Amino acid sequence: MAFALLDRLEAHKKLSFDQWCEVLSDCDGPSFEEAKIRASAIAQKHFGRGIYIRGIVEFTNFCRNECHYCGLQKSRRDLVRYRLSQEEILSCCEAGYRLGLRTFVLQGGEDPGIDDAWLIALIGQLQSRFPDACITLSLGERSEQSYAALFAAGARRYLLRHETASHSLYRKLHGPTQSYFERLSCLYRLKALGYQTGAGMLIGPPGQSLEHLAEDFCFIQAFQPEMLGCGPFIPHAQTIYAHEPAGSVKRTLYVLSLCRLLLPDLLLPATTALATEDAHGYEEGIAHGCNVIMPNLTPRVSKMHYQLYNGVDCETSFEEALSRLKLRVTDLGYHLVFGRGDHPRFAQHKGRNA
Ligand code: 5AD
């Protein structure tokens, strides 16, 4: 009976709210190691010892939102704002493509200066230059019409972390113009349109309890995302949370392993935030069931102004980061996978973007 809830989670892929609370409360008990062992075995069963690699281009740091934890929040008057041109974005992707990348993640703040026509033109360019690559967008909340137009243009994945599934915590962490219900609606829209959809939550932002995390798991098991981004909260010196403690790495790892038990074929990145908080973050993430790493293709000058949290590495070039990653992953007995790396349910799209 020692691991009855982990057994139940593996067998039924579902727990009640109370059961999630109980599992989560054993992070410092024996469940931590047991979940790790099981999560790693499940990831290997579904993905072998391969780690998918994606290149992120952070192409705009303008943002209309006030996420209190985030360094790009609108009210930061001291931040130098930038927006890369299409040519600049294409040349970042070209550099990644030459090194073997076949997924590009175009990420930005919610920049009112970026309209659908501009994005559609960009996606068209990317598709004609890199026809065997997958275009992933991470641009925040947009209208259903916009998501549909971007899908029609060729984008196939969308990352939109829900940040927290607790309504009360969401309200605390975000500005008054942001709506919890709108955010969740966006996720359902994306899924209905056929995107491989990524949700995700912060681990350990100010005020988060285990019950809040249990709400995240209840949401995830209902929503069934294809991807999930979870990393520790890291304070940013120019936000109201400057003096708050960072989220726990151990809790993050435990949550990642539980995510793998809940959704065995999930695309689950070992996030940059995890690697920022822990020098062995990538290795630990993989050991807890992660199967994706997303190094950064953003040019150095821009990256300096894209600090969601403090401690972002702006010095290492993409080429250098990739060769270090290769060594680290190989040392673990794993290897990097340079393919599109679709979610298994979408794998029939292999080799093309349509
Ligand atoms: N610490 C950790 N993660 C953060 N993000 C934003 N600010 C922080 C922070 N201070 C995460 C959010 C967002 C993603 C792009 O980065 O979850 O969705």
Side-chain angles (χ1 to χ4, degrees):
M1 282 312 277
F3 299 111
L5 284 178
L6 295 183
D7 292 344
R8 190 181 178 87
L9 172 57
E10 269 199 84
H12 301 288
K13 310 285 183 279
K14 200 177 161 127
L15 293 179
S16 70
F17 174 79
D18 289 343
Q19 289 168 335
W20 277 118
C21 290
E22 194 180 331
V23 175
L24 284 162
S25 70
D26 199 35
C27 180
D28 290 321
S31 301
F32 180 84
E33 275 304 314
E34 182 66 18
K36 170 183 173 178
I37 292 163
R38 294 188 188 195
S40 167
I42 293 170
Q44 288 184 53
K45 178 173 159 214
H46 287 266
F47 301 98
R49 291 189 151 237
I51 302 297
Y52 292 136
I53 197 94
R54 332 288 203 190
I56 303 195
V57 184
E58 296 151 339
F59 69 95
T60 172
N61 72 349
F62 284 89
C63 192
R64 63 177 175 195
N65 289 333
E66 274 303 316
C67 306
H68 300 318
Y69 45 82
C70 179
L72 304 189
Q73 58 192 244
K74 183 184 178 184
S75 62
R76 273 199 65 200
R77 304 269 172 244
D78 58 316
L79 181 66
V80 175
R81 303 281 173 172
Y82 73 88
R83 190 180 290 132
L84 299 185
S85 69
Q86 301 214 350
E87 266 321 305
E88 287 172 312
I89 297 170
L90 287 164
S91 77
C92 293
C93 294
E94 177 80 49
Y97 192 86
R98 266 191 266 114
L99 290 168
L101 294 200
R102 292 297 178 268
T103 288
F104 301 116
V105 182
L106 305 181
Q107 187 173 87
E110 288 194 15
D111 180 350
I114 299 275
D115 62 17
D116 287 349
W118 189 91
L119 285 167
I120 289 166
L122 174 64
I123 293 167
Q125 288 279 335
L126 285 166
Q127 281 203 291
S128 63
R129 287 216 210 167
F130 317 116
D132 55 343
C134 183
I135 299 161
T136 302
L137 301 177
S138 180
L139 308 170
E141 297 173 28
R142 303 179 74 86
S143 67
E144 170 144 33
Q145 196 188 7
S146 174
Y147 288 150
L150 301 175
F151 189 87
R156 285 295 173 268
R157 302 192 197 127
Y158 204 105
L159 305 175
L160 181 73
R161 291 189 180 181
H162 62 283
E163 311 296 359
T164 172
S166 152
H167 187 201
S168 60
L169 184 61
Y170 189 92
R171 280 273 47 88
K172 220 188 113 187
L173 296 174
H174 300 95
T177 62
Q178 292 168 259
S179 155
Y180 167 83
F181 298 104
E182 180 57 22
R183 195 157 192 90
L184 295 187
S185 301
C186 282
L187 279 163
Y188 282 98
R189 273 175 210 154
L190 289 162
K191 201 158 215 271
L193 285 166
Y195 282 98
Q196 296 174 54
T197 305
M201 62 277 192
L202 290 161
I203 310 298
Q208 186 185 58
S209 64
L210 286 187
E211 286 74 20
H212 293 139
L213 276 174
E215 287 190 68
D216 286 313
F217 277 102
C218 289
F219 167 69
I220 293 164
Q221 75 190 10
F223 182 69
Q224 300 274 309
E226 280 76 35
M227 308 175 280
L228 199 79
C230 290
F233 157 75
I234 304 175
H236 186 292
Q238 271 77 45
T239 65
I240 56 168
Y241 295 148
H243 304 294
E244 296 287 342
S248 144
V249 167
K250 187 171 187 196
R251 185 173 286 182
T252 303
L253 294 171
Y254 187 47
V255 163
L256 289 169
S257 60
L258 296 176
C259 290
R260 176 59 69 205
L261 299 193
L262 174 61
L263 295 170
D265 53 8
L266 181 68
L267 298 170
L268 184 66
T271 58
T272 314
L274 178 60
T276 303
E277 273 302 285
D278 184 326
H280 301 289
Y282 290 134
E283 289 82 352
E284 290 289 345
I286 291 168
H288 285 79
C290 292
N291 68 325
V292 176
I293 296 182
M294 300 162 72
N296 202 303
L297 284 166
T298 315
R300 182 176 169 274
V301 274
S302 308
K303 220 187 321 182
M304 281 168 23
H305 304 301
Y306 202 94
Q307 306 233 358
L308 306 174
Y309 42 81
N310 291 132
V312 176
D313 168 20
C314 298
E315 294 309 318
T316 314
S317 70
F318 179 76
E319 206 158 355
E320 176 62 27
L322 192 62
S323 65
R324 284 189 206 166
L325 262 180
K326 247 182 217 164
L327 287 177
R328 288 173 69 169
V329 165
T330 312
D331 272 356
L332 284 179
Y334 283 72
H335 57 274
L336 298 183
V337 177
F338 289 86
R340 286 171 53 103
D342 285 296
H343 185 279
R345 270 203 310 279
F346 290 73
Q348 67 273 23
H349 298 307
K350 232 177 200 163
R352 58 198 184 95
N353 224 356

